[in-house]
Amino acid sequence: MIARGTFRSAERRCRGCNGGRSRVPEGSCFDEMTLPDGAIRPAYGRIARWLASTPVDVLGSRCVQAELMFRRMGITFAVYGDKEAGERLIPFDIIPRMVLRSEWMRLEAGLVQRVKALNLFLADVYGDREILKAGRIPADLVLHNPQYRPEMAGQRVPHDIYVHIAGIDLVRTGEDDFYVLEDNVRTPSGVSYMLQNREVMMRLVPDLVAEHRVAPVENYPDALLASLRSAAPVPVGQEPTIVLLTPGRYNSAYYEHSFLADKLGVELVEGRDLLVEDDRVYMRTTEGKKRVDVVYRRIDDDFLDPETFRPDSILGVPGLMRAYHAGNVTLANAVGTGIADDKAIYTYMPEIVDFYLGERAILSNVPTWRCREPEALSYVQSHLGELVVKEVNGSGGYGMLVGPHASRAEIDLFAEKLRANPENFIAQPTLALSTTPTFVSAGIAPRHVDLRPFVLTGTNGIRVVPGGLTRVALKENSLVVNSSQGGGTKDTWIVEDRIFEESVAFQGQS
Amino acid sequence: MLSRTADHLYWLARYMERADFLARTVEATQRLAALPTNYSGSGTEWESALESSGAAEGFRATRGKIDEASVVEYLTFASDNPSSICNCIELARANGRAVRTALTVEMWDAINGAWIELKRFEDSNFGRGRFDREELSRFLEFVKKTSLDYDGSAHRTMLRNDAYWFSRLGLYIERADNTARILDVKYHVLLPVDETVGGSIDYFQWTSILRAVSALNAYHWVYRESVKPWLIADLLILKAEMPRSLIACYENIVHYLDSIAVAYSVSGPAQAQAHEVLARLERTTTQEIFKIGLHEFITEFVESTDLLGRAIQEQYLKY
């Protein structure tokens, strides 16, 4: 992807939004580097200078270098339903996405608050169901939700922690406007890219990293280990044994599983490596059976235990749920967390935060129409061309309609689905997602981004490593950032506000 | 450690070692086959290359006439030969990928880098059946270098714990098996019928055996005399200083099995079996071997090693 064009940083208007088919009004989306009047926002001061002083072909060769590094490291993912592709790289963009510390502090407080509320919500809906009794959420929306696990009702989990690892997807639409697009509290992935992107940046542009004094993310694995350790079942005599349970090397996120296990210093196990005896979990080792206390599982609930869930699962561990219910093992995340990141429940997050914490949610939800409500439905039906309509149980960008980018036929087809089963859908306005400068084949151009920070919960507290995974929609005008749909990633730099004041003082030195 | 991890490490090492042996076999056979017919003897060089690689049966079932191009293709790129060099590297990487966490970055780099390079060879016409000796020799060099890279990075970067020991076990069991195979296929030229120093047409057969196990120079350093068949047998079976000799392989096998036994505070059938084979090798002499019959001796050795492989599998690698 070496650029041959001469498109330089000077021309960085909001092209991502005014291209032909999009109906978001021209110039209405927020570019994180360049304001409409051409001024550079403070966080990007040095980046703008770096881009202006680096020839496009140098940037291009850096990109090629980055790609080689990723390929050699074996950082690949498999795309479902695409056998030909085998192992693919997620495209990496070398222009970092900048966030000021002051902006981050607010996000962090909001993330901690949100995850705290999500854990309380889960303990409640699988426990006393106070929020349902209080009528704050329709009971049928929870109890009849396919994501609700009746097996977990009335069961306690160790320390009442359900969500040990959360990935919260945030989008920005303006100077002070951040929204939560969705919560991921089942088996969120992507953290390995957050870590490896930084490693690659430190090798490719060491000066740029150094002069920005970027907040480090490399302690994430340590923080994760501490959280997992703290979450071990209560009467663990000695150091708890932690394992990472993967579906195996054909899973799209296998690279991440092995990377994390390595960084954590824990065994990467598959279902066949574990066994359950007398309601205790063991792994098969060269020295015989060894007791396991905490399972950081990257397998979906459905495949976890063929005795309880899908009987045809060969990925799981027969009897694991027995051991879980007996309190002999911690599963991270807990079984049944899917109810908390369900898209229908998402719309109630402000109520959930208020109910459990008595606080106003710091992070806003994207305004959402619940199609189960007749008024909302009729609005959505008459505005399909402007809205993003999502299936409540869909993930990965499948099963959604992006109205402004859809053809007439696609819209008609979706309208049919919506009519047949309205409670299965929610709709949101097409958000004018912010753009950041991105290196594409034509040179440097603005592309839409989102941000997924990772939030860790243990008995030792709630922690967010400063940063996250920035995903970027590489196609012009595209709003879909999922890696399975042609999205790429960027390194995310949380930088001190102060540095930019200093830089003013030293201007003119070289 | 996980039995599955140990199993993958063990097989990873075996496949890398096997790829190296195949590359050397092809190379040595090419030299031999390029000689004028009255030097190279039987004219069945490519057939014995198939035999010593354990690929003869598969070849006969799927291919026609035995000639250089078809055997080379079968031993290098054939996807239907489970032990072709390509499949060995492919399987080595698959094993490695399954246990990424047990590999050091350098080891993974060696394996994955080789795999990427392999794809390049496959994508060139060369991998698609076009026969080209120059490209072949580049390919064989690449394979030998790959196994050196892997071996060196394992040796230099792995922690000295059970992961390392199982990996080394795989290497030495595979190596013992390979050396025994080539001896078995070539035993008839190693029989000390009559001694015609330098003049024997078998001379080139003998040196090709030494080449296949990269021992031609070593031979001269050890014996300081011209190549004689019984000394080749001595070198490849009983000389502990020769890294590919059967006895050297078993010294290593015993060493690593003992390390595991000490670390786990328990010894089992695998240790007993390995010690027994080593003791037999230490007791015996070339005279005795030729008295029993080289072929019989090797056959028994191959069976014992097979038995040991199964004992290791049973004792440690089951999952």
Side-chain angles (χ1 to χ4, degrees):
Chain A
M1 45 185 269
I2 297 177
R4 308 214 182 275
T6 52
F7 186 82
R8 298 305 311 275
S9 50
E11 189 192 342
R12 201 171 296 102
R13 304 278 309 285
C14 191
R15 287 158 51 102
C17 291
N18 58 16
R21 293 191 299 160
S22 171
R23 289 182 209 168
V24 176
E26 176 172 355
S28 72
C29 80
F30 175 73
D31 188 77
E32 296 188 9
M33 181 159 99
T34 314
L35 296 170
D37 63 3
I40 301 294
R41 292 183 58 252
Y44 279 86
R46 284 167 189 242
I47 296 293
R49 264 179 280 148
W50 171 63
L51 290 176
S53 64
T54 312
V56 170
D57 55 342
V58 171
L59 286 178
S61 70
R62 293 257 163 83
C63 276
V64 172
Q65 244 177 301
E67 199 182 311
L68 279 176
M69 286 163 83
F70 280 113
R71 207 171 273 289
R72 280 208 89 93
M73 288 190 251
I75 307 182
T76 55
F77 74 110
V79 180
Y80 291 117
D82 190 353
K83 283 218 174 68
E84 279 298 293
E87 293 165 22
R88 263 204 230 162
L89 283 181
I90 295 186
F92 171 70
D93 182 61
I94 61 162
I95 306 174
R97 196 264 184 92
M98 312 296 290
V99 180
L100 288 178
R101 176 119 214 130
S102 52
E103 297 170 331
W104 174 254
M105 296 298 279
R106 212 185 100 220
L107 294 181
E108 188 183 15
L111 291 166
V112 168
Q113 178 196 53
R114 195 163 176 106
V115 170
K116 198 187 282 180
L118 284 167
N119 268 311
L120 291 167
F121 169 73
L122 283 161
D124 185 27
V125 293
Y126 290 119
D128 298 336
R129 300 177 182 172
E130 299 291 354
I131 197 165
L132 307 184
K133 288 177 197 158
R136 300 288 291 270
I137 296 181
D140 70 303
L141 196 62
V142 172
L143 303 177
H144 298 152
N145 193 303
Q147 292 302 326
Y148 185 80
R149 298 281 174 196
E151 297 85 356
M152 294 299 292
Q155 299 283 346
R156 294 286 296 271
V157 301
H159 316 286
D160 290 329
I161 299 172
Y162 285 76
V163 179
H164 306 80
I165 303 116
I168 311 290
D169 290 347
L170 303 173
V171 295
R172 184 171 202 172
T173 59
E175 193 63 59
D176 291 312
D177 309 312
F178 288 90
Y179 293 98
V180 176
L181 197 59
E182 60 184 40
D183 304 290
N184 296 279
V185 296
R186 289 172 239 189
T187 55
S189 64
V191 78
S192 60
Y193 295 98
M194 169 180 93
L195 297 168
Q196 290 291 41
N197 287 355
R198 180 64 51 82
E199 292 301 314
V200 167
M201 289 299 273
M202 295 210 296
R203 279 156 76 176
L204 285 181
V205 286
D207 290 342
L208 201 62
V209 179
E211 70 187 26
H212 277 91
R213 298 192 206 159
V214 183
V217 289
E218 67 188 36
N219 54 341
Y220 177 84
D222 271 356
L224 173 59
L225 189 63
S227 288
L228 292 173
R229 199 178 275 168
S230 79
V234 189
V236 172
Q238 67 282 47
E239 184 69 4
T241 299
I242 300 168
V243 296
L244 196 161
L245 176 61
T246 172
R249 60 183 181 276
Y250 300 109
N251 183 267
S252 63
Y254 178 72
Y255 162 74
E256 171 156 308
H257 305 161
S258 67
F259 173 86
L260 281 177
D262 196 26
K263 293 284 172 200
L264 293 169
V266 306
E267 294 288 357
L268 177 65
V269 302
E270 296 179 14
R272 55 196 167 144
D273 295 317
L274 298 181
L275 74 158
V276 176
E277 269 178 24
D278 301 330
D279 296 347
R280 293 188 174 87
V281 183
Y282 298 91
M283 60 178 159
R284 300 176 212 270
T285 78
T286 51
E287 294 175 84
K289 292 181 302 184
K290 187 173 181 211
R291 180 82 187 266
V292 170
D293 305 296
V294 179
V295 180
Y296 172 21
R297 51 91 172 212
R298 298 289 297 258
I299 293 184
D300 292 343
D301 289 356
D302 277 339
F303 298 94
L304 216 43
D305 179 354
E307 286 181 10
T308 307
F309 304 113
R310 283 178 60 156
D312 59 338
S313 170
I314 50 163
L315 303 174
V317 185
L320 186 57
M321 288 301 285
R322 271 188 281 118
Y324 192 38
H325 288 327
N328 288 332
V329 67
T330 296
L331 298 181
N333 291 342
V335 171
T337 53
I339 186 66
D341 67 9
D342 178 73
K343 290 191 177 72
I345 300 298
Y346 159 90
T347 63
Y348 292 90
M349 271 315 286
E351 282 94 332
I352 289 173
V353 172
D354 174 58
F355 185 78
Y356 296 108
L357 303 175
E359 296 168 8
R360 215 175 145 263
I362 300 170
L363 294 171
S364 323
N365 268 6
V366 177
T368 305
W369 289 273
R370 303 166 183 146
C371 299
R372 70 196 327 260
E373 294 165 7
E375 262 174 58
L377 177 64
S378 70
Y379 177 85
V380 171
Q381 281 173 326
S382 55
H383 294 83
L384 274 178
E386 304 159 21
L387 301 172
V388 177
V389 190
K390 297 177 179 175
E391 219 169 317
V392 270
N393 297 313
S395 75
Y398 300 102
M400 68 190 254
L401 174 83
V402 182
H405 291 178
S407 69
R408 193 66 247 166
E410 284 168 325
I411 290 178
D412 290 344
L413 192 73
F414 218 87
E416 197 54 48
K417 282 205 259 179
L418 180 60
R419 196 164 24 246
N421 201 0
E423 55 278 2
N424 205 24
F425 294 93
I426 56 162
Q428 292 167 342
T430 323
L431 281 188
L433 298 196
S434 61
T435 56
T436 65
T438 301
F439 188 77
V440 296
S441 54
I444 299 159
R447 288 290 182 268
H448 295 292
V449 290
D450 78 351
L451 174 64
R452 176 180 289 185
F454 294 89
V455 187
L456 299 170
T457 307
T459 56
N460 57 346
I462 302 179
R463 202 164 160 192
V464 197
V465 170
L469 177 66
T470 289
R471 297 185 298 176
V472 52
L474 292 173
K475 277 185 245 158
E476 195 170 0
N477 293 331
S478 172
L479 295 168
V480 183
V481 294
N482 302 70
S483 56
S484 51
Q485 308 269 300
T489 72
K490 279 169 173 286
D491 195 9
T492 311
W493 291 5
I494 311 297
V495 291
E496 300 291 336
D497 302 40
R498 258 184 312 123
I499 290 194
F500 298 96
E501 290 154 26
E502 281 171 30
S503 74
V504 176
F506 289 109
Q507 254 174 19
Q509 295 190 25
S510 61
Chain B
M1 68 189 302
L2 285 180
S3 296
R4 187 171 54 82
T5 306
D7 188 60
H8 285 301
L9 286 169
Y10 174 86
W11 283 103
L12 165 57
R14 287 199 68 158
Y15 285 120
M16 286 307 248
E17 181 67 17
R18 192 174 299 173
D20 179 70
F21 174 72
L22 288 167
R24 288 174 193 282
T25 301
V26 170
E27 220 171 40
T29 311
Q30 258 196 319
R31 277 184 89 101
L32 195 57
L35 290 170
T37 37
N38 58 332
Y39 283 80
S40 62
S42 59
T44 56
E45 302 79 24
W46 289 107
E47 195 164 2
S48 56
L50 284 173
E51 294 287 353
S52 62
S53 320
E57 226 170 280
F59 186 93
R60 285 193 203 101
T62 56
R63 301 292 198 277
K65 200 169 145 283
I66 293 181
D67 59 23
E68 181 177 8
S70 60
V71 174
V72 167
E73 185 267 340
Y74 196 71
L75 293 182
T76 54
F77 282 95
S79 55
D80 61 337
N81 171 11
S83 278
S84 68
I85 292 176
C86 268
N87 276 332
C88 283
I89 295 177
E90 199 72 57
L91 285 166
R93 181 174 181 270
N95 274 288
R97 193 161 185 267
V99 289
R100 266 292 291 275
T101 52
L103 305 182
T104 61
V105 176
E106 289 83 357
M107 286 169 80
W108 173 249
D109 210 40
I111 299 162
N112 196 44
W115 183 79
I116 292 166
E117 188 68 26
L118 181 70
K119 295 289 137 195
R120 253 202 288 279
F121 275 107
E122 278 181 326
D123 289 344
S124 75
N125 275 335
F126 177 60
R128 304 209 185 281
R130 192 173 60 85
F131 186 68
D132 174 341
R133 287 201 181 80
E134 265 179 50
E135 187 69 5
L136 175 65
S137 86
R138 268 195 292 278
F139 175 71
L140 296 176
E141 278 308 314
F142 149 74
V143 176
K144 290 193 291 180
K145 188 170 170 308
T146 294
S147 81
L148 280 178
D149 276 359
Y150 161 76
D151 199 38
S153 58
H155 182 72
R156 293 183 70 130
T157 60
M158 276 184 96
L159 287 175
R160 277 4 184 207
N161 58 17
D162 44 0
Y164 180 72
W165 301 327
F166 280 110
S167 155
R168 292 282 126 172
L169 261 186
L171 183 149
Y172 285 108
I173 290 212
E174 181 69 25
R175 188 175 282 183
D177 191 51
N178 288 335
T179 301
R181 272 167 191 284
I182 196 157
L183 282 169
D184 194 32
V185 173
K186 299 280 190 178
Y187 78 94
H188 54 277
V189 297
L190 292 178
L191 298 177
V193 228
D194 60 298
E195 187 184 343
T196 43
V197 180
S200 167
I201 55 158
D202 281 345
Y203 174 83
F204 297 99
Q205 292 275 4
W206 302 332
T207 52
S208 88
I209 298 173
L210 291 173
R211 261 184 232 285
V213 294
S214 63
L216 189 52
N217 290 343
Y219 177 94
H220 293 294
W221 280 104
V222 173
Y223 298 106
R224 300 191 178 280
E225 57 173 306
S226 57
V227 177
K228 289 174 184 154
W230 57 92
L231 290 183
I232 293 179
D234 185 55
L235 180 68
L236 296 190
I237 299 171
L238 300 179
K239 271 282 172 282
E241 55 266 56
M242 166 64 205
R244 281 168 205 264
S245 69
L246 302 186
I247 196 165
C249 291
Y250 263 83
E251 280 179 350
N252 279 294
I253 291 169
V254 162
H255 171 73
Y256 291 118
L257 276 173
D258 283 351
S259 303
I260 294 167
V262 169
Y264 295 174
S265 314
V266 54
S267 185
Q271 279 81 6
Q273 169 75 1
H275 275 279
E276 198 189 308
V277 178
L278 180 61
R280 217 181 314 145
L281 288 168
E282 283 169 343
R283 272 199 312 270
T284 200
T285 61
T286 15
Q287 284 79 7
E288 271 180 80
I289 291 173
F290 282 110
K291 216 168 82 191
I292 308 166
L294 180 57
H295 179 63
E296 286 69 19
F297 178 85
I298 294 296
T299 307
E300 200 195 318
F301 177 86
V302 169
E303 277 164 12
S304 309
T305 303
D306 188 48
L307 218 62
L308 173 61
R310 268 184 272 164
I312 292 171
Q313 209 76 38
E314 184 62 29
Q315 196 172 325
Y316 296 113
L317 309 179
K318 237 181 19 179
Y319 62 92

